Amino acid sequence: MTDLQAIAIEQLKGVGPRLRERLNNYGVYSAQDLLFHLPLRYQDRTRITPIGGLQLGVDAVIEGEVKVADITFGKRRSLLCKLQDGTGLISLRFFHFSAAQKKQLQPGTRLRCYGEPRRGGAGLEIYHPEYQLLDEQHTAELDDRLTPVYPTTEGIGQSVWRKLCLQALTLLENHKPQELLSEHPLARFPLSDALHFLHHPPPKARLSLLREGLHPAQRRLAFEELLAHNLAMLKTRQQTQQRGAVPMPASVQLQRAFLQQLGFQLTNAQQRVCEEIAADLRLERPMLRLVQGDVGSGKTVVAAMAALQVIEQGFQVAVMAPTEILAEQHYLNFQQWFAPLGLETGWLVGKLKGKARQKSLATIANGEAQLVIGTHALFQEDVIYQRLGLAIIDEQHRFGVHQRLALTQKARPEDGHPHQLVMTATPIPRTLAMTAYADLDTSIIDELPPGRTPVNTVVIDNARRSQIIERIAHVCAKGQQVYWVCTLIEESEALQAQAAEAVFENLQKALPNLQIALVHGRQKPQEKADIMAAFKAGTTQLLVATTVIEVGVDVPNASLMVIENAERLGLSQLHQLRGRVGRGALESHCVLLYQSPLSRTGRERLRALRESSDGFVIAEKDLMLRGPGEMLGTRQTGLMQFRIADLQRDGDLLEDVRQSAESVATDKRLSSALIDRWLGEKTNYAAV
Ligand code: ADP
Ligand code: MG
């Protein structure tokens, strides 16, 4: 459809500068964009429905005779008009009306109306129906096609979309798009037929299938779009690899020294993944590897091993985390490991300002900082690395592809592309991983360090809070320790801290004999570190915390965790939190407190957590209940935005998409044509 991509929207009839701007702001630039702007739903104005056969919430055309038309004074003044045909009676209600309108709707008048019936005081009602008067001579014609209703934005009405899309369909006739899927069974619905059908379905089209997005015409488009995205990622990967990288020979010294001081043996899974990484790093092309592993599987150690191999060759390593709290936990961990090896760890986050920031930037630029830990701040424009060799990105799913690429631009040009290691704590369902990370090789740490005990999870109504408090006293009397996690839906650290403060005070009153401490994101790093150290040492028995403790805390003597408002958190986050108990040999428990009433999905989600301790199973469930946007964090980052496809709805296509992508990728022309059609220049992953 190269032709239609080249036809700018302003070349269409009726598009002046103002409308053009509105359409552009909405992401519509060309005739092709219009065709890919599919209706949200359809109205059926092809037939008349008897009033007696109307269904609640299903809009329809009706015809009848006005029986009464009166102004009523309920909560709001309105004009109420009763319309009757041979089968029933319905109310039409107008909150805004003119005197002329009232006069027009005299009893005896015949009307044709269109609208959505809702429940009214006495039977069904339609608010503000579209209507026209019928007279004996002229009966207006019904439509011969279903009427599309488009997703829209302020300032662009439905009639505008309908007119423009019709024009685009006419253009499509004269510029038949090349069929790029001819090999595939879904292509039995050719592209142009699918577009015609979806913008203008015949009356017999199956509305229920269309509503679900499962019509073959929709599936065919979704498939092609997913395929194009997959191909774009494969291309990005290829281009990255072509840039080459500095090979990093195996470490002979630092890794051994590190393992010796570690105090535990790597699990088999950790060893295997370390070897996969070491082998990648030795090559002259950049490593592009994703490490997936359940919470507590020990990804940080694996990252440290990779870092050491690179540092030993005189290169720097950057570790990027999505939040300052996460970055801080990494900083504490790495510093504790690396300082004894004589290595310098730098620190850079958005909060760092003025002199402190300048100092930090200087150590990064002169290479004093061999390892740098931070957030997005790590790839701001004024950050210059002496010699970046490896970028480690934790919790990848919260970053967009663009952010990942921006960091890697920080290598010196003559060094090619830095190696990349991406770690995700949220196990991603396989099909989703294949799509979201088509450009990465994958390693999985599928084993937990020894000595962990499964956590017994219970779901309890907040009304039974006092029983839980008794239980805490009991657990602590046995010499064990407890976490109490406060959650708030707001992302604001200030509000979270406030809520935790209140809970802390109440628990102090209820349990006066216990040593209780409070930790939250607003405390100074040193203060936080001291509080955590006291908990680790066993001086503190009950730790009240915000979700700060999601990461990096390791206290084997803690055997009970209470999570408040558990229904508000994502399953994977709850799973991560729960991973903080059951770290020793003690039998451990996790109490999920919820605020009733609990919604049906809410109940299902908490049940999933009670029934499984496998992060992958939980992630699948999370995906099912919440959708991939939430899971991958795409809402915020804009990673993988589709025009038509929906990863959840079209999930069953992904395996097929991946296989097709592999074979299509060998055909450069076809692959480019698909990428160009669906991603155009706007979203060229490789161009960042
Ligand atoms: P995650 O994969 O969730 O990031 P971490 O890297 O934070 O997990 O590791 C969780 C805890 O397990 C840490 O305290 C870490 O020191 C410890 N750990 C990691 N590997 C091992 C191992 N092989 N044996 C014992 N403990 C380990
Ligand atoms: Mg981690």
Side-chain angles (χ1 to χ4, degrees):
M1 286 207 291
T2 329
D3 294 346
L4 291 180
Q5 241 164 318
I7 300 181
I9 196 88
E10 57 266 37
Q11 288 171 251
L12 272 71
K13 271 200 279 312
V15 183
R18 283 248 315 257
L19 181 56
R20 192 202 66 193
E21 199 185 323
R22 282 183 187 155
L23 287 164
N24 287 173
N25 288 340
Y26 196 58
V28 175
Y29 293 85
S30 66
Q32 184 192 277
D33 290 338
L34 274 175
L35 290 172
F36 285 163
H37 183 67
L38 294 186
L40 213 51
R41 55 191 180 84
Y42 302 90
Q43 297 176 343
D44 187 352
R45 297 168 185 264
T46 64
R47 61 202 173 91
I48 292 166
T49 304
I51 292 178
L54 285 172
Q55 290 173 43
L56 196 66
V58 178
D59 29 11
V61 183
I62 51 174
E63 272 186 16
E65 189 183 311
V66 176
K67 285 284 143 194
V68 251
D70 275 324
I71 294 176
T72 64
F73 300 88
K75 257 182 249 159
R76 269 174 80 189
R77 180 171 170 269
S78 63
L79 173 63
L80 187 66
C81 173
K82 306 244 182 200
L83 194 73
Q84 190 177 43
D85 68 2
T87 67
L89 186 77
I90 186 165
S91 307
L92 312 175
R93 196 184 286 277
F94 301 85
F95 292 104
H96 311 280
F97 59 93
S98 61
Q101 231 174 340
K102 174 166 189 292
K103 213 159 146 206
Q104 209 179 34
L105 295 173
Q106 282 308 308
T109 314
R110 288 190 54 79
L111 294 182
R112 177 180 293 172
C113 303
Y114 181 82
E116 183 194 315
R118 46 170 90 203
R119 214 185 297 283
L124 293 178
E125 264 184 35
I126 300 179
Y127 287 1
H128 286 275
E130 297 170 30
Y131 71 91
Q132 66 191 117
L133 305 186
L134 297 174
D135 52 46
E136 302 296 324
Q137 288 86 20
H138 312 94
T139 314
E141 287 197 11
L142 289 162
D143 289 352
D144 57 352
R145 294 263 161 173
L146 299 179
T147 311
V149 178
Y150 291 95
T152 190
T153 177
E154 219 181 297
I156 312 179
Q158 287 300 329
S159 61
V160 173
W161 284 116
R162 285 173 195 153
K163 273 185 215 140
L164 291 178
C165 288
L166 270 183
Q167 281 189 63
L169 284 176
T170 315
L171 289 168
L172 183 67
E173 279 310 293
N174 305 326
H175 304 265
K176 273 268 190 281
Q178 196 195 342
E179 186 51 59
L180 300 176
L181 283 189
S182 42
E183 302 286 298
H184 199 277
L186 278 171
R188 263 178 289 170
F189 223 128
L191 181 64
S192 60
D193 293 3
L195 291 170
H196 267 289
F197 184 91
L198 291 172
H199 283 283
H200 237 196
K204 64 174 195 320
R206 293 172 60 188
L207 273 175
S208 59
L209 268 190
L210 284 168
R211 213 174 292 130
E212 308 268 307
L214 295 177
H215 193 279
Q218 288 161 318
R219 302 268 286 171
R220 188 234 171 277
L221 290 170
F223 179 85
E224 189 175 316
E225 181 174 33
L226 288 167
L227 179 62
H229 273 259
N230 213 300
L231 289 167
M233 294 187 96
L234 292 178
K235 189 168 152 195
T236 306
R237 174 187 167 86
Q238 203 185 26
Q239 287 175 343
T240 308
Q241 293 202 323
Q242 272 166 3
R243 278 180 58 191
V246 184
M248 308 284 172
S251 156
V252 289
Q253 190 202 337
L254 286 176
Q255 285 185 346
R256 184 156 14 106
F258 170 70
L259 289 175
Q260 265 168 10
Q261 65 160 38
L262 198 54
F264 53 75
Q265 297 277 319
L266 297 188
T267 61
N268 289 330
Q270 282 171 318
Q271 259 169 37
R272 190 191 66 238
V273 174
C274 282
E275 276 159 25
E276 283 165 358
I277 292 170
D280 279 354
L281 288 173
R282 286 198 292 269
L283 301 179
E284 281 181 23
R285 52 159 213 244
M287 167 169 78
L288 294 168
R289 188 166 287 278
L290 172 72
V291 173
Q292 287 192 60
D294 206 345
V295 52
S297 61
K299 293 181 290 291
T300 324
V301 178
V302 170
M305 289 287 281
L308 291 170
Q309 184 170 344
V310 172
I311 291 172
E312 192 159 311
Q313 298 306 317
F315 283 80
Q316 287 169 301
V317 176
V319 178
M320 177 163 78
T323 66
E324 297 200 351
I325 290 166
L326 258 165
E328 221 165 81
Q329 300 286 349
H330 276 314
Y331 183 71
L332 297 176
N333 256 333
F334 276 95
Q335 214 189 16
Q336 184 196 336
W337 285 333
F338 282 16
L341 303 175
L343 302 177
E344 194 67 43
T345 302
W347 169 246
L348 192 65
V349 294
K351 251 199 303 227
L352 205 64
K353 295 264 150 64
K355 271 223 180 78
R357 179 178 158 81
Q358 288 313 318
K359 215 171 111 192
S360 184
L361 288 180
T363 63
I364 298 171
N366 65 22
E368 236 172 82
Q370 288 144 304
L371 181 76
V372 192
I373 293 178
T375 53
H376 309 74
L378 287 173
F379 60 82
Q380 298 302 303
E381 225 177 300
D382 59 342
V383 186
I384 295 160
Y385 291 80
Q386 191 220 17
R387 230 181 158 188
L388 183 65
L390 167 66
I392 298 175
I393 297 151
D394 199 10
E395 298 272 352
Q396 148 70 9
H397 64 288
R398 299 198 198 175
F399 289 109
V401 177
H402 298 273
Q403 288 166 305
R404 181 147 55 87
L405 291 170
L407 175 57
T408 60
Q409 300 278 303
K410 293 291 184 184
R412 301 192 315 181
E414 64 268 38
D415 289 340
H417 202 279
H419 296 281
Q420 257 184 67
L421 181 64
V422 172
M423 302 192 292
T424 165
T426 311
I428 301 152
R430 211 175 70 87
T431 46
L432 198 50
M434 286 182 323
T435 309
Y437 305 124
D439 60 332
L440 300 175
D441 299 308
T442 308
S443 296
I444 299 183
I445 310 185
D446 50 6
E447 179 185 2
L448 293 181
R452 306 259 165 94
T453 342
V455 181
N456 172 36
T457 303
V458 290
V459 179
I460 291 179
D461 190 329
N462 190 37
R464 289 166 58 198
R465 199 180 173 93
S466 56
Q467 288 173 21
I468 304 304
I469 293 176
E470 271 170 44
R471 176 120 162 238
I472 293 177
H474 184 69
V475 167
C476 291
K478 287 194 292 186
Q480 296 167 14
Q481 291 165 280
V482 179
Y483 292 104
W484 184 292
V485 184
C486 307
T487 61
L488 257 192
I489 202 137
E490 283 87 354
E491 280 290 294
S492 147
E493 279 183 20
L495 284 175
Q496 292 217 8
Q498 238 176 41
E501 199 102 36
V503 172
F504 171 62
E505 280 164 20
N506 285 334
L507 286 172
Q508 269 184 324
K509 276 192 212 116
L511 297 163
N513 299 324
L514 291 191
Q515 289 300 320
I516 310 181
L518 171 67
V519 63
H520 58 69
R522 298 212 106 199
Q523 291 158 333
K524 296 234 151 57
Q526 191 54 49
E527 194 181 352
K528 248 184 289 187
D530 290 346
I531 294 168
M532 294 312 301
F535 189 62
K536 206 161 178 161
T539 329
T540 305
Q541 293 161 289
L542 170 58
L543 184 66
V544 180
T546 54
T547 43
V548 175
I549 59 152
E550 190 180 333
V551 280
V553 190
D554 198 26
V555 182
N557 191 43
S559 67
L560 172 62
M561 172 175 286
V562 182
I563 306 177
E564 268 197 271
N565 299 319
E567 76 278 10
R568 291 179 177 178
L569 292 188
L571 283 190
S572 296
Q573 200 183 359
L574 285 169
H575 177 62
Q576 300 235 1
L577 281 168
R578 178 174 63 175
R580 299 300 120 195
V581 288
R583 303 206 140 213
L586 295 174
E587 196 191 324
S588 299
H589 303 272
C590 178
V591 175
L592 303 175
L593 279 183
Y594 66 87
Q595 202 67 47
S596 37
L598 200 53
S599 70
R600 212 172 52 112
T601 22
R603 197 168 324 133
E604 246 185 274
R605 296 173 63 216
L606 296 184
R607 172 158 15 105
L609 215 67
R610 197 179 65 212
E611 286 173 358
S612 179
S613 56
D614 182 329
F616 280 88
V617 173
I618 289 169
E620 290 281 1
K621 193 84 192 175
D622 212 7
L623 176 69
M624 223 178 75
L625 295 171
R626 277 204 305 170
E630 292 286 340
M631 260 199 83
L632 291 170
T634 50
R635 300 263 155 89
Q636 295 85 1
T637 55
L639 161 77
M640 310 255 295
Q641 282 188 343
F642 298 109
R643 297 159 181 258
I644 290 161
D646 176 318
L647 284 180
Q648 190 172 15
R649 184 190 66 205
D650 305 319
D652 61 320
L653 292 176
L654 294 176
E655 179 66 43
D656 194 2
V657 165
R658 192 182 59 87
Q659 281 176 18
S660 297
E662 263 168 32
S663 64
V664 172
T666 55
D667 182 341
K668 288 273 165 333
R669 254 200 33 218
L670 180 56
S671 164
S672 302
L674 276 162
I675 294 173
D676 187 48
R677 173 178 293 174
W678 288 94
L679 290 98
E681 283 140 42
K682 275 176 286 169
T683 328
N684 187 354
Y685 290 139
V688 179

